[in-house]
């Protein structure tokens, strides 16, 4: 999306709203209707249930006395006026990419929200990801069909990677008379959703496109967390506990656990902090080396001499540069464009075994545990079930209110409508010069594997200002906003 098509609203004292598209932006004179929630027995007694059109959510909660008000997003929730009558709504839901705990909960709550809150009766499930649109695979959805699917892992709609053909997808949407599209998937899926929205807008169709961000790695920016992440951390701890038992029970025992985290190490970091049994956590954001003074192998040897056992947690994307050097592997990608990773857990296990084989005086017992696909396939826990429910209902409220081309997410504890470009412009990563990583290093007592130069470079990257569309903001306001970001 170019800068001219972004909706930026500025106000007093450095207020900047990154707004989401609305039907009224490109379809004039659309009729509006009273929101049926005002007569709903469950909601009509709630004071101030409707969200005011001017309500926004700040991206940063930390403020300075003389600082600007900063960046905001439109607050999610039901509006007093809607742009659809229940009988005219024909909605569809599609899930794309890898599995994640909570997918079925989101599907269920979109269906139930449309049926029970707004009285919508026509909801279709698109089978098998994006390609299901033009393969004409559909599953009729109703509250009865989705009643207990939240108790199961995976997705009842099926999923796939790739298969995005914008013209075919929008043709299918138009041919079927669909006017609300709910797309559940990660950053690649949301990029696809953005392209679908742009094509729908170009054709002048009254079709709402709403994204629900899904990534087990928690690597989507702006939002507090993605659904399924809490469940993934909880399940990862089970594997860590098993590794700890194995390590404690053997002579010089080493428990090595690989968890998901292609580019971001949040699962590894949070599972390590929650467990307190981990002696070393390796993530993609923090490079490490094996041999020599201060290297991983030296640390393992020292830890075994001190404690007699140790537990290592490694994210799947960690150490890939070392592995590529050893295996001389070419960069290959999957259908979603993600780099195909080598199994760093198996490789590290072999490197540790070879190192200690050379030391005749130290025998080790290494157990390698890879629970990644077990974690993906479990149902969501209570916390993620509630979160998934609120995300789904907020997406429904937004589509009914005429908003489109948005992703729903939690920003500083408030559900917000976020433009697609903010979700897809970069990935959320662990900042290894941040307090949370320092807490982890304090817990594990592992070396940082960083030189002073690495720390300085990382801080510079962290302090780089975000994209603010300076040409649409006055010079004085632009300086204030940049100052706020750099001073945090």
């Amino acid at each position: 999306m170019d800068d001219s098509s972004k909706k930026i609203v500025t106000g007093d004292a450095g207020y900047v709203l990154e707004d989401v598209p609305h039907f009224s932006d490109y379809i004039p004179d659309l009729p509006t209707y009273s929101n049926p929630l005002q007569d709903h027995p469950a909601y009509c007694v709630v004071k101030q249930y409707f969200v005011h059109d001017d309500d926004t959510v700040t991206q940063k909660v930390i403020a300075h006395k003389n600082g600007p008000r900063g960046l905001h997003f439109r607050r999610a929730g039901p509006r007093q006026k809607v742009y659809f009558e229940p009988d005219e709504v024909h909605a569809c839901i599609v899930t794309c990419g890898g599995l994640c705990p909570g997918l079925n909960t989101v599907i269920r709550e979109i269906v139930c929200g449309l049926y029970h809150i707004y009285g919508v009766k026509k909801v279709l499930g698109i089978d098998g990801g994006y390609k299901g649109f033009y393969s004409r695979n559909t599953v009729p959805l109703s509250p009865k069909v989705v009643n207990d699917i939240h108790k199961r892992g995976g997705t009842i709609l099926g999923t796939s990677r790739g298969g995005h053909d914008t013209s075919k997808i929008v043709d299918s949407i138009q041919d079927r008379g669909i006017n609300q599209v709910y797309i559940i998937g990660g950053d690649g899926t949301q990029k696809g959703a953005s392209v679908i929205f742009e094509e729908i807008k170009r054709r002048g169709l009254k079709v709402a496109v709403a994204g629900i961000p899904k990534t087990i790695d928690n690597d989507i920016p702006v939002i507090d967390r993605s659904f399924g992440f809490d469940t993934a951390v909880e399940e990862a701890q089970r594997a860590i506990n098993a590794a700890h038992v194995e390590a404690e029970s053997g002579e010089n025992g080493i428990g090595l656990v690989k968890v998901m985290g292609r580019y971001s190490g949040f699962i590894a970091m949070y599972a390590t902090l929650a467990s307190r049994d981990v002696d070393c956590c390796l993530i993609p954001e923090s490079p490490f080396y094996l041999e020599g003074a201060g290297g991983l192998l030296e640390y393992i040897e020292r830890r075994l001499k001190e404690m007699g056992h140790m537990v290592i947690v490694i994210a799947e994307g960690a150490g890939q540069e070392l592995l590529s050097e050893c295996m001389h592997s070419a960069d290959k990608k999957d259908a979603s464009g993600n780099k195909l990773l080598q199994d760093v857990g198996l490789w590290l296990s072999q490197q540790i075994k070879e190192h200690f084989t050379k030391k005749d005086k130290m025998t080790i017992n290494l157990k390698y545990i890879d629970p990644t696909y077990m974690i993906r396939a479990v149902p969501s826990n209570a916390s993620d079930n509630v979160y998934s429910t609120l995300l789904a209902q907020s997406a429904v409220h937004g589509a009914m209110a005429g908003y489109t081309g948005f992703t729903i997410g939690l920003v500083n504890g408030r559900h917000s409508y976020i433009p697609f470009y903010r979700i897809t412009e970069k990935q959320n990563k662990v900042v290894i010069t941040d307090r949370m990583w320092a807490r982890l290093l304090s817990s594990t007592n592992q070396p940082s594997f960083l030189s002073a130069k690495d720390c300085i470079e990382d801080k510079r990257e962290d302090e780089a200002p975000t994209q603010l569309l300076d040409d649409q903001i006055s010079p004085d306001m632009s300086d204030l906003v940049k100052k706020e970001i750099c001073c945090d």
Side-chain angles (χ1 to χ4, degrees), residues 280-312:
C280 187
C281 177
L282 304 171
I283 60 173
E285 297 88 339
S286 181
F288 65 93
Y289 54 97
L290 295 179
E291 306 284 352
L296 177 61
L297 295 174
E298 181 189 74
Y299 173 64
I300 293 173
E301 191 172 337
R302 187 175 76 246
R303 196 70 173 170
L304 289 177
K305 288 178 180 177
E306 292 172 354
M307 304 295 294
H309 68 275
M310 77 175 299
V311 175
I312 303 170

Side-chain angles (χ1 to χ4, degrees), residues 95-100 103 155 159-161 184-186 189 214 336 376:
T95 55
C96 306
L99 296 182
C100 177
L103 278 170
T155 165
T159 185
S160 65
R161 296 188 184 277
I184 310 167
T189 301
K214 173 232 44 140
S336 296
R376 293 193 340 163

Side-chain angles (χ1 to χ4, degrees), residues 13 17 22 39 63 118 122 153 196 243 288 297 348 358 373 376 390 415 433 445 459-460 463 484:
L17 168 63
H22 191 272
D39 300 318
Y118 286 101
K122 292 183 288 185
I196 291 170
F288 65 93
L297 295 174
L348 184 58
K358 299 172 186 176
Y373 290 102
R376 293 193 340 163
L390 297 178
H415 287 80
T433 53
N445 294 314
K459 284 182 178 178
R460 285 175 181 167
E463 290 174 357
E484 180 201 28

Side-chain angles (χ1 to χ4, degrees), residues 230-243:
D230 281 357
T231 305
V233 171
E234 188 175 298
E235 290 298 315
Q237 277 192 88
R238 299 180 191 275
I240 293 172
N241 291 340

Side-chain angles (χ1 to χ4, degrees), residues 6 33 63 65 85 94 122 205 276 299 323:
K6 297 175 182 177
Y33 313 94
K65 182 174 64 175
E85 287 193 287
V94 63
K122 292 183 288 185
L205 304 177
R276 299 291 172 173
Y299 173 64
L323 210 155

Side-chain angles (χ1 to χ4, degrees), residues 236-249 252-259 268 271-272 275-282 296 299-300 303-304 307-314 348 352 365-367 369 443-446:
Q237 277 192 88
R238 299 180 191 275
I240 293 172
N241 291 340
H244 185 242
V245 170
E246 290 283 355
E248 270 193 323
S249 302
N252 292 324
I254 300 174
L256 176 59
V257 180
K258 185 184 80 172
V259 297
T272 295
S275 170
R276 299 291 172 173
D277 288 328
V278 179
D279 301 288
C280 187
C281 177
L282 304 171
L296 177 61
Y299 173 64
I300 293 173
R303 196 70 173 170
L304 289 177
M307 304 295 294
H309 68 275
M310 77 175 299
V311 175
I312 303 170
V313 172
I314 186 166
L348 184 58
I352 294 171
N365 289 286
L366 189 147
K367 299 295 187 293
I369 299 175
S443 170
T444 62
N445 294 314
Q446 71 188 67

Side-chain angles (χ1 to χ4, degrees), residues 39-53:
D39 300 318
H40 196 290
Y43 296 99
C44 64
V45 296
V46 179
K47 292 183 179 179
Q48 297 180 338
Y49 185 74
F50 293 115
V51 173
H52 195 280
D53 287 340

Side-chain angles (χ1 to χ4, degrees), residues 11 16 39 75-76 87 101 147 170 178 188 221 224 240 297 304 311 362 422:
V16 180
D39 300 318
R75 185 184 175 193
D87 291 342
N147 182 51
V170 178
I178 292 170
D224 295 352
I240 293 172
L297 295 174
L304 289 177
V311 175
M362 182 172 283
R422 286 305 307 271

